Amino acid sequence: MLKQLQTAIVQGDIAPGAKLNEPELARRFGTSRGPLREAIRGLQARRLVHVTPNAGARVVSLGVEQLGALYETREALEGMAARLAAERMPKADIQALERLLDEHAASIGTDDGAGYYQEEGDYDFHYRIVHGSGNAVLADVLLDDLYQLMRMYRFKFSIGAGRPAQALDEHYRILEAIDGGDGELAELLMRRHIGAARKRLQQDETTLHKIIQEEHS
Amino acid sequence: MLKQLQTAIVQGDIAPGAKLNEPELARRFGTSRGPLREAIRGLQARRLVHVTPNAGARVVSLGVEQLGALYETREALEGMAARLAAERMPKADIQALERLLDEHAASIGTDDGAGYYQEEGDYDFHYRIVHGSGNAVLADVLLDDLYQLMRMYRFKFSIGAGRPAQALDEHYRILEAIDGGDGELAELLMRRHIGAARKRLQQDETTLHKIIQEEHS
DNA sequence: AATCGAGATATTGTCGACAATATTTGTCTT
DNA sequence: AAGACAAATATTGTCGACAATATCTCGATT
């Protein structure tokens, strides 16, 4: 139930800024208002919806600053994840991740493969590094909270688009540093990798503004 | 409602590991099960309770590794907060924080003042730095999520105890770096400040084990 | 005496109904 | 025609009841 609503929001099925109508959503998910309200409270704590007392819940609509803050936070957390992974990630997992990158490399050649890679492939890479850090708190915060927020906006504009080959190359270099046990380098490369996405994002500010306008109509 | 339950848990009114009995808690807070369940879902997303389907919710009970992971994450996030605060914190807020530290210095002399300082004073200092970072995501994650978890265990053992004078001195130095606009130094000092707490924590491992034993009885 | 199983009890999950509050609609006044 | 007020509607907040599941109790069997 919570998961159903969450994916509906994250995939943009329910747009940012949209109001969550409890009776309507309850019908849509084939349940009653009780469980639905519980799900809304969960998503509220995960920062996916904002609730105004006696006036209902709306899907959050991130402004430029907030999206920038999100990436800034990701830099710190995933930089740390990369450093810890270099120290603690099991060799078997590192090798599995290398094979995954090889698959990504292969799929970049194909037309539709590139699309998949940019979305899920990128997610998979970061997901595994965070897990490899062996820090459960870090994994929870990033994967349960922040990633969902980001995915909401990945559908919206070009955050990760247009440079699959370069991104893949950066992934390889990060993994190399991790494999070599060089935590400092892994952290530096990961921060740069995410920082690049942030900079591209802020150049796209005008695009974003348009989207936010649409949301409020 | 959510807040009532949260403070009851954070203050140790309901012990870590304890089961949350819905009818009982509903009576205790003078409400019905509906709102209470919604509150539980919120705390679940905030990682304060763990829910097993069809078997109810329990207050989380952190093991040594998880508490270590919590501090590790705090190092990264608060280090970042200190660096950003050095770049963006308004001068007026910096001066106000300096006055707060002066109050702490005064209260260390008195007997009961030291107690207050160790608990709330420390919290206030970190709280203001995080706010001063101007990063809303960071503030939410730290203040709404992780701090509550930590406070739960501050009541339990000596995480921040026994060195009020030294901690205050470290606070002064961090603030100096922020005031001077030296983000790198501020980050370094903050990481050390929290890292010291983590090391003390892990030395206290035996104490912690005892507490966890008690929780499960 | 210990273990297993069936019944009894308690607890969680879900629903529909009602009360309280917000939002909309329509009317009246200026 | 524009704005303000009031009734009507819709939506959120809360509650108690019932169903489904888990947990406990106690007796029977080995």
Side-chain angles (χ1 to χ4, degrees), chain A:
Chain A
M1 173 74 263
L2 188 150
K3 213 172 179 180
Q4 280 187 0
L5 182 58
Q6 175 162 331
T7 57
I9 290 176
V10 169
Q11 300 197 349
D13 242 16
I14 308 173
K19 186 159 194 287
L20 299 184
N21 186 305
E22 294 180 0
E24 178 196 325
L25 288 174
R27 273 196 309 275
R28 174 165 163 184
F29 294 124
T31 177
S32 89
R33 280 181 58 218
L36 185 93
R37 282 175 64 92
E38 292 177 12
I40 290 179
R41 287 307 183 283
L43 296 185
Q44 178 187 15
R46 284 188 176 79
R47 285 173 277 282
L48 275 172
V49 305
H50 184 257
V51 173
T52 320
N54 289 321
R58 311 189 85 89
V59 178
V60 290
S61 173
L62 297 183
V64 207
E65 332 77 33
Q66 291 175 328
L67 211 45
L70 187 55
Y71 270 76
E72 211 170 47
T73 308
R74 233 190 115 194
E75 268 179 61
L77 288 176
E78 293 208 40
M80 167 184 163
R83 176 168 44 80
L84 293 178
E87 296 165 9
R88 320 202 269 231
M89 192 168 176
K91 282 293 169 194
D93 293 353
I94 294 177
Q95 286 166 6
L97 183 47
E98 198 178 340
R99 286 195 293 276
L100 181 72
L101 289 188
D102 290 344
E103 286 177 29
H104 291 166
S107 74
I108 278 188
T110 72
D111 280 354
D112 55 341
Y116 162 80
Y117 163 69
Q118 286 181 217
E119 295 293 345
E120 292 302 316
D122 185 65
Y123 178 75
D124 282 349
F125 175 76
H126 289 272
Y127 176 91
R128 295 206 193 188
I129 302 270
V130 170
H131 252 281
S133 77
N135 182 317
V137 174
L138 179 63
D140 276 1
V141 170
L142 269 171
L143 304 179
D144 290 351
D145 279 13
L146 305 187
Y147 269 41
Q148 309 306 321
L149 269 174
M150 292 210 331
R151 291 183 118 188
M152 252 181 76
Y153 280 84
R154 253 198 224 170
F155 288 86
K156 295 281 169 189
F157 54 115
S158 58
I159 286 178
R163 55 192 274 284
Q166 187 178 349
L168 179 62
D169 188 56
E170 289 172 13
H171 285 180
Y172 268 117
R173 289 176 187 280
I174 291 168
L175 188 58
E176 264 175 42
I178 289 172
D179 190 35
D182 191 340
E184 266 188 56
L185 180 61
E187 172 163 10
L188 177 78
L189 292 176
M190 180 63 93
R191 291 183 89 115
R192 254 191 217 166
H193 178 61
I194 295 171
R198 183 172 110 230
K199 276 166 196 137
R200 237 171 313 120
L201 171 73
Q202 283 165 339
Q203 287 173 352
D204 253 10
E205 200 169 320
T206 54
T207 310
L208 182 62
H209 271 125
K210 272 189 224 156
I211 289 165
I212 290 174
Q213 293 304 327
E214 287 166 16
E215 281 170 12
H216 291 311
S217 65

Side-chain angles (χ1 to χ4, degrees), chain B residues 41 48 68 75 130 137 154 191 206:
Chain B
R41 286 309 184 282
L48 275 172
E75 267 180 62
V130 170
V137 175
R154 253 197 226 171
R191 291 183 89 115
T206 52

